[in-house]
């Protein structure tokens, strides 16, 4: 079920606007694979897993930085550029509180958890568009 962002209010739970279809790559996947995932799903970040556990996040900005520096997207791996200091929020946290956490951490994507498991991801766009239409 999808929820229109304009039907959410800042006090609503972040679970209302999170993306539940997590795009994932393995730590050893090349940045070409990362780029393919980002493009296929039209998203800004992918989750990196090792043996089932979330260990990082690679964003389109991480990918762009490698390309701008002349890096080879075939040889650079997700593990080489992923953010490992992940910010997580509880699925019941308000959208407003999630936005504040994102600003404080300087992050554009945060993972959403419920019952000690990752159940979604929310982007700064999801937060900023809440109630704006």
């Amino acid at each position: 079920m999808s929820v229109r962002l304009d039907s959410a209010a800042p006090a609503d739970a972040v679970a209302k606007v999170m993306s539940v279809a997590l795009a994932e790559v393995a730590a050893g996947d090349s940045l070409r694979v990362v780029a393919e995932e980002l493009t296929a799903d039209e998203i800004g970040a992918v989750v990196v897993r090792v043996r089932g556990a979330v260990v990082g996040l690679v964003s389109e900005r991480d990918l762009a930085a490698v390309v701008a520096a002349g890096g080879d997207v075939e040889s650079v791996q997700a593990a080489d550029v992923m953010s490992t200091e992940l910010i997580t929020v509880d699925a019941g946290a308000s959208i407003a509180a999630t936005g504040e956490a994102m600003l404080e951490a300087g992050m554009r994507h945060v993972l959403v958890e419920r019952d000690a498991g990752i159940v979604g991801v929310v982007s700064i766009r999801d937060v900023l568009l809440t109630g704006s239409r």
Side-chain angles (χ1 to χ4, degrees):
M1 178 175 106
S2 75
V3 173
R4 288 178 39 104
L5 292 178
D6 59 357
S7 69
D12 288 342
V14 73
K16 190 169 185 178
V17 296
M18 73 180 182
S19 172
V20 295
L22 292 177
E24 301 178 1
V25 297
D29 283 344
S30 72
L31 290 189
R32 176 160 315 279
V33 171
V34 171
E36 290 168 353
E37 283 294 320
L38 292 171
T39 303
D41 294 335
E42 297 180 358
I43 54 172
V46 296
V47 170
V48 180
R49 288 193 187 260
V50 172
R51 292 184 288 285
V54 174
V55 296
L57 199 66
V58 178
S59 73
E60 59 195 352
R61 285 185 173 201
D62 298 326
L63 176 65
V66 170
V67 171
D72 178 13
V73 295
E74 296 295 344
S75 62
V76 177
Q77 298 178 343
D80 297 331
V81 300
M82 69 184 180
S83 298
T84 57
E85 292 186 26
L86 303 174
I87 303 299
T88 61
V89 295
D90 186 79
S94 73
I95 296 167
T98 300
E100 289 173 17
M102 294 171 91
L103 286 173
E104 287 175 18
M107 298 291 226
R108 297 169 52 91
H109 297 89
V110 295
L111 299 172
V112 181
E113 62 183 350
R114 179 182 296 130
D115 301 326
I118 302 300
V119 295
V121 64
V122 66
S123 73
I124 193 68
R125 179 179 297 180
D126 298 330
V127 171
L128 291 175
L129 291 178
T130 299
S132 68
R133 294 184 188 157

